[in-house]
Amino acid sequence: MGEAMSDRGAPMSVMVGRALAARLRVRPGALPGRRLVGIGAVAALTAGLLVAAGPAPEEAEALTAPLTMTAEDLPTWQTNGIVYALAEADGVVYVGGTFSTVRPPGADPGTQEQPVANFVALDAATGAPVEGCDLSFTVGSGTATIRSLAVSPDKGTLYVGGTFGSVNGVGASSVAAFDLPTCARAPFPVAANGIVRAIAAGEDRVYLGGDFTQLAGQPRSRFGAVTTAGAVVAGWRADADEIGKAVALTPDGEHVLLGGDFFEVNGANSHALAVVDAGTGANVRTYPEGFIETNSTVQSIATDGTSFYTGNEGTGGGVFDGRIALSLDTFDQRWRDTCLGATQSVTVHGGVLYSGHHAHDCASMGEFPNQERYHLFAQAVTGTAKLGWFPNTNDGLGEQLGPRVLIPVTDHPDDARDFLWVGGGFTTVNGVAQWGLTRFATGPDTGLPSTPETHAASPAADRVDVSWRASLDLDDSLLTYRVYRNGASTPVHTVEGSSLPWVRPQLTWSDPDVEAGETHSYRVTATDGAGNVSALSAPVSVTVASGTQAYANAVLADDPLLYWRFDETANNYASDASGNGTSGVHRGGPARGTSPAAVPGPGAAAVGYDGTDAYTYSDARLPGMQRFTMETWFRTTTTRGGKLMGLGNLTLQASANRDPNLYMLNNGQLTFGIINGGNRTLTTPGRYNDGQWHHIAVSVGSAGMRLYVDGAQVNSNPLFTSARSVSGYLRTGGDSLANWANRPTSDYFAGELDETALYPAQLSAARVRAHFDAASVPSDTVTQLAPVADTYVNGAAPSAVHGTHQQLAVRGAPAYESYLAFDLPSAPAGQVLKAASLRVRVGGDAAAGALDDFPVVPVEGAWSEAATTYATRPALGTTALGTLESPDALNGTYTVPLQRTAVQGALGGQFAVALVSEGTDSLWLGSRESAAANRPQLLLTFGAP
């Protein structure tokens, strides 16, 4: 027997804790002064968190290509201030900024701190300090800071720039050099009269950028070149009129890429970006004002073998905050990412551009509207689309910009993994306190996908649709989903699906192996490429319909763009029944599963909004429609009005652009509005805040603007036959109504909605009426009955009574039989019994399931729960009413369709059945004395003849 997939037994990986899993090491060939901090010193600071060395973890083999880094942040020592600069050599990361202490990961501010002065050296693989590179950068007055770090191509020299007047008490003027790995001061007699913000180190020259206007007393405006010995290069001039912030040397060493705030370089019009000759500083390519917006700057530049990339920051409106890719051959733009939220740093690893920023609006890229900030992105160097990598920080300290600098580490001598280090002013990483520094690696990938939110419905006879909202994994956008039925351990369906945080599309599967009257339960898991498995979704159950649903059929016949039936009873997922997968997301905690629903039917429910902040938005942005129909049912008694439905440009905030709109006024009248050369509205004569369900449909098209309530047209305007075409997200339950006529007290609706649909065409009056009338057509209903008595008998204990036992037992030899009795209602007026089934649940004990089949037969003799024994067992019929087939899944739920005519004949009276067997495998089921979820049920489906 297979073991059931369950919460207690579902395969899953456990995420590594934030405690240091560091390895003490001494790199081969390192000088004695370059060892890690002594074991005693580290132990005193980390309280024993460091552990002995072990094999290097395997790289993540299955991140969604071309992604190279996992999203799990690794334990890293912290700073008490902002990190502005990072550089790396031989597996050591050099950290500079404005900070005075460092402390272990997990330590609170003010605890376990080591004093430093704006600089620390850390092991790239462990995140812990290394010994022998204790440099103190100070200034006589003001605040010392390190703004730039660079390592020479031979890894033998570290260059440091910023604002400082001495290093370890020896004079310096904002720039200095140090031998590696000893960190001894190297001769480098360069003095800058302003901040040095950027350094690029070549074989024989070092290029500087910043606020300075002189180097070593010689005029050099914002950019300059010096030899590796510290002599200003005569004749090299790339003078700019404003601050230089980024300097990069092209891979061939022929050109220097300049970025900053400037508008001129060498007297030529070139705003924020320029390419100059590495030998002379002469302009090679300028970018006149307008290529980058006037109020935007270049903060960072990175290169790979074919291109260079800029990170840009803007101030005010109409800015450019994103990233640009440019060819190293032509220096022309290859692509541009116009997301808003200033980019502070870019770096390339393995064909992926990683960036640090506070991106909050990527609507211009067809991605997400203005919302909470993302601080780290990854995108292929070939284009602008975001990859599925979404670790996050907060804004943090100072200017609250989050990450400030990123660097990859690819040459650690003792660890095969590559790392991505991130520094900045943040104080949390992935929601956990972590100041100033964090890092990621190429493996292992241990994060679990989120648990799928699932719904099951039976929209037609012999059909079940299982749908779920795509899960989210912070470093895998392509996940594998497995659907499990009735508690079985083997999936009945497997499918892949992609998702990103702002678009988690609905996936749907139709179960082909169902019959009318059966009840089935479904659960779904999500698995990432590394094999990490989410928790099983909460089980959702559905009884298979025996007929069609008139209202749903009427809606679907008109090809809705989306159709939210709101039948879910939990979670934040509103499934889409249109077939287009445009599901909704609940926000603000609306009430799910409210009843009675507007349109009766099996499992029918509605959603209830609080009139304060609860609403639902579409997961996907919908195309602009000049002609359309919006339709919903509503019920309310509010006197504060509110928006029922409409399109808006935002999902997590009040929309700035919002139309069309359908909203209620304080007095219960309804208004429909579009924009066509101004706001155009229709309002109902009547009032509808009477606590009753009402159907409303509004449209615009060749027939003009139309407004229908309860199937009848109540207002129209033939003059306006189209609305402006503006894409947006459907929102139900609330959004801003600013600048709309008779704006109610509340923008948010207090009441219930049901059966919400949006159509990309104007429905005719006849079709609107057909929808309304279809809601009154009788639909199938399912009555669930619990047994009024049940028991089992045991041939090996012929005198024993088991009527109070919490389980029922069935076996052929030695014999067990189970009996169940139900009091049946009469058929509702005008309806007949269309299907009947018995639902049972297998126990959770190891021997509870069985591979045998178990016939369900009628009980013909008398019996009672209190007295029946094997010796007094009742006579049974010989014709099976149904068969329970191989119920082997522990905790599995099984449904047995029963012969309809046999059950129909017992309506209005008592109906008793027995579970019997001719096999030797024992079966244990929940009885009516067990927990509610385990009890047997008889399911009766009634409907129109």
Side-chain angles (χ1 to χ4, degrees):
M1 289 167 42
E3 183 176 348
M5 177 71 73
S6 66
D7 287 335
R8 63 178 183 177
M12 61 178 67
S13 301
V14 180
M15 186 172 291
V16 176
R18 294 190 61 86
L20 276 174
R23 296 183 295 118
L24 296 175
R25 64 174 179 84
V26 177
R27 293 183 304 282
L31 297 177
R34 294 299 310 283
R35 65 185 183 277
L36 288 176
V37 173
I39 292 176
V42 173
L45 286 169
T46 63
L49 290 178
L50 293 178
V51 297
E58 294 287 333
E59 290 194 0
E61 297 179 353
L63 298 174
T64 303
L67 197 62
T68 62
M69 294 289 166
T70 73
E72 285 79 43
D73 55 301
L74 301 177
T76 308
W77 278 54
Q78 310 173 74
T79 64
N80 68 340
I82 299 175
V83 172
Y84 291 104
L86 298 169
E88 180 271 336
D90 192 29
V92 175
V93 173
Y94 302 96
V95 181
T98 306
F99 52 88
S100 59
T101 66
V102 293
R103 63 183 186 275
D108 292 332
T111 66
Q112 303 184 60
E113 291 186 330
Q114 274 190 346
V116 296
N118 305 306
F119 178 88
V120 67
L122 304 174
D123 185 279
T126 68
V130 299
E131 198 173 65
C133 193
D134 300 323
L135 302 178
S136 175
F137 293 80
T138 58
V139 68
S141 61
T143 302
T145 184
I146 293 174
R147 290 301 183 106
S148 53
L149 294 167
V151 170
S152 61
D154 65 1
K155 307 294 185 180
T157 306
L158 173 68
Y159 299 97
V160 182
T163 298
F164 48 87
S166 66
V167 182
N168 291 351
V170 178
S173 184
S174 296
V175 62
F178 305 87
D179 290 333
L180 295 179
T182 64
C183 288
R185 184 80 173 264
F188 197 65
V190 180
N193 69 339
I195 302 173
V196 176
R197 298 179 182 270
I199 304 176
E203 296 288 351
D204 55 3
R205 290 186 179 181
V206 179
Y207 300 91
L208 309 176
D211 301 23
F212 55 83
T213 57
Q214 291 183 352
L215 290 176
Q218 300 183 42
R220 294 292 187 272
S221 183
R222 278 75 183 202
F223 296 101
V226 299
T227 68
T228 55
V232 176
V233 176
W236 196 96
R237 301 298 293 267
D239 292 340
D241 60 334
E242 296 289 348
I243 294 172
K245 291 183 174 178
V247 179
L249 192 61
T250 58
D252 61 8
E254 297 295 321
H255 301 98
V256 181
L257 312 170
L258 309 179
D261 298 2
F262 51 83
F263 291 86
E264 291 184 357
V265 175
N266 290 329
N269 178 6
S270 193
H271 173 51
L273 182 65
V275 182
V276 300
D277 186 270
T280 66
N283 292 350
V284 174
R285 176 66 180 270
T286 57
Y287 298 88
E289 188 175 351
F291 178 77
I292 293 175
E293 279 71 359
T294 301
N295 49 354
S296 295
T297 65
V298 170
Q299 302 291 103
S300 174
I301 299 175
T303 66
D304 60 17
T306 62
S307 302
F308 68 100
Y309 309 88
T310 68
N312 304 269
E313 176 185 71
T315 303
V319 301
F320 174 57
D321 275 346
R323 293 152 291 282
I324 305 174
L326 303 100
S327 167
L328 283 172
D329 291 332
T330 64
F331 304 121
D332 292 335
Q333 177 178 301
R334 291 181 43 244
W335 53 257
R336 179 178 295 227
D337 181 340
T338 57
C339 288
L340 295 176
T343 303
Q344 300 298 313
S345 183
V346 291
T347 194
V348 178
H349 179 265
V352 176
L353 181 70
Y354 292 90
S355 56
H357 42 71
H358 58 266
H360 56 89
D361 188 343
C362 287
S364 64
M365 303 304 298
E367 293 169 332
F368 57 89
N370 191 49
Q371 57 182 257
E372 286 88 348
R373 294 174 168 184
Y374 295 91
H375 293 88
L376 294 167
F377 277 162
Q379 53 202 124
V381 295
T382 54
T384 61
K386 309 303 180 293
L387 302 177
W389 188 75
F390 296 100
N392 207 2
T393 74
N394 64 351
D395 293 340
L397 307 171
E399 298 171 90
Q400 298 185 330
L401 297 176
R404 297 281 195 143
V405 58
L406 292 79
I407 63 161
V409 177
T410 60
D411 61 351
H412 197 286
D414 293 344
D415 198 313
R417 296 175 295 173
D418 290 352
F419 298 89
L420 178 68
W421 277 68
V422 181
F426 49 83
T427 58
T428 67
V429 178
N430 288 339
V432 177
Q434 173 70 23
W435 284 45
L437 287 167
T438 190
R439 61 198 176 97
F440 306 93
T442 48
D445 177 9
T446 60
L448 305 183
S450 63
T451 304
E453 296 183 32
T454 309
H455 178 65
S458 182
D462 302 325
R463 175 180 162 189
V464 166
D465 290 343
V466 182
S467 64
W468 61 96
R469 187 185 185 205
S471 294
L472 179 63
D473 189 291
L474 295 183
D475 49 26
D476 286 282
S477 57
L478 181 64
L479 301 176
T480 299
Y481 298 91
R482 292 178 174 87
V483 181
Y484 298 86
R485 184 174 62 189
N486 299 333
S489 60
T490 301
V492 291
H493 180 65
T494 301
V495 66
E496 289 185 337
S498 294
S499 60
L500 295 170
W502 53 86
V503 54
R504 295 169 58 183
Q506 174 177 299
L507 291 90
T508 301
W509 171 68
S510 295
D511 191 341
D513 187 23
V514 296
E515 295 181 11
E518 296 178 344
T519 296
H520 297 284
S521 67
Y522 300 87
R523 305 182 82 175
V524 181
T525 63
T527 305
D528 68 14
N532 301 305
V533 184
S534 75
L536 281 158
S537 66
V540 290
S541 297
V542 62
T543 299
V544 185
S546 60
T548 60
Q549 299 179 28
Y551 185 83
N553 288 347
V555 170
L556 294 172
D558 289 315
D559 297 321
L561 191 62
L562 62 76
Y563 179 22
W564 297 342
R565 306 204 68 187
F566 293 128
D567 292 338
E568 299 80 17
T569 58
N571 299 318
N572 294 314
Y573 162 59
S575 62
D576 176 22
S578 73
N580 295 316
T582 311
S583 56
V585 182
H586 297 305
R587 189 167 171 85
R592 269 80 83 191
T594 65
S595 63
V599 180
V607 63
Y609 298 106
D610 60 9
T612 302
D613 59 1
Y615 63 95
T616 306
Y617 66 87
S618 61
D619 183 76
R621 191 179 187 96
L622 302 173
M625 295 174 291
Q626 292 182 291
R627 297 169 179 81
F628 59 85
T629 302
M630 297 193 302
E631 174 184 42
T632 194
W633 289 76
F634 68 93
R635 182 172 70 161
T636 187
T637 58
T638 185
T639 57
R640 291 168 47 83
K643 183 170 181 174
L644 276 67
M645 64 185 299
L647 264 61
N649 68 319
L650 301 180
T651 58
L652 304 183
Q653 303 171 14
S655 296
N657 299 318
R658 56 240 167 223
D659 75 283
N661 285 305
L662 173 59
Y663 57 100
M664 178 172 280
L665 309 185
N666 289 345
N667 64 2
Q669 291 179 286
L670 297 161
T671 294
F672 165 48
I674 64 170
I675 295 179
N676 181 333
N679 291 3
R680 312 300 179 183
T681 61
L682 298 177
T683 298
T684 63
R687 304 178 181 186
Y688 299 95
N689 54 347
D690 55 8
Q692 302 298 312
W693 279 111
H694 295 283
H695 174 262
I696 185 165
V698 295
S699 69
V700 63
S702 59
M705 295 176 65
R706 298 292 183 95
L707 195 164
Y708 303 86
V709 178
D710 295 336
Q713 181 176 300
V714 296
N715 204 345
S716 65
N717 187 333
L719 298 179
F720 302 104
T721 58
S722 65
R724 65 172 183 170
S725 179
V726 179
S727 63
Y729 300 86
L730 182 68
R731 291 182 51 154
T732 62
D735 198 0
S736 173
L737 290 169
N739 302 318
W740 283 90
N742 300 311
R743 183 182 183 181
T745 301
S746 175
D747 290 345
Y748 289 81
F749 177 67
E752 294 168 276
L753 295 184
D754 200 5
E755 304 289 344
T756 298
L758 175 66
Y759 306 83
Q762 184 174 43
L763 298 187
S764 68
R767 289 306 301 159
V768 172
R769 183 70 197 188
H771 289 198
F772 175 72
D773 289 343
S776 301
V777 175
S779 63
D780 290 354
T781 59
V782 177
T783 300
Q784 299 180 357
L785 302 175
V788 294
D790 62 10
T791 190
Y792 76 90
V793 296
N794 180 0
S799 299
V801 176
H802 302 286
T804 59
H805 204 281
Q806 292 191 0
Q807 289 185 304
L808 301 175
V810 192
R811 185 174 62 196
Y816 287 96
E817 292 179 353
S818 288
Y819 314 119
L820 303 96
F822 300 88
D823 286 340
L824 305 189
S826 298
Q831 297 187 2
V832 297
L833 181 69
K834 304 188 75 172
S837 59
L838 176 67
R839 183 168 67 192
V840 294
R841 185 169 185 179
V842 177
D845 296 335
L851 295 173
D852 293 337
D853 292 343
F854 299 85
V856 180
V857 299
V859 176
E860 296 182 346
W863 65 280
S864 73
E865 183 178 86
T868 295
T869 67
Y870 187 82
T872 62
R873 67 189 185 278
L876 305 179
T878 58
T879 300
L881 304 179
T883 300
L884 176 58
E885 299 177 349
S886 301
D888 63 328
L890 303 182
N891 295 309
T893 300
Y894 291 85
T895 302
V896 184
L898 301 179
Q899 189 181 94
R900 183 183 59 82
T901 54
V903 181
Q904 183 172 303
L907 292 177
Q910 192 169 89
F911 176 68
V913 294
L915 282 161
V916 297
S917 174
E918 296 180 354
T920 58
D921 213 354
S922 59
L923 173 67
W924 292 89
L925 306 171
S927 74
R928 78 187 190 104
E929 284 79 12
S930 63
N934 301 329
R935 295 170 188 165
Q937 286 188 324
L938 185 67
L939 306 171
L940 306 180
T941 302
F942 294 101

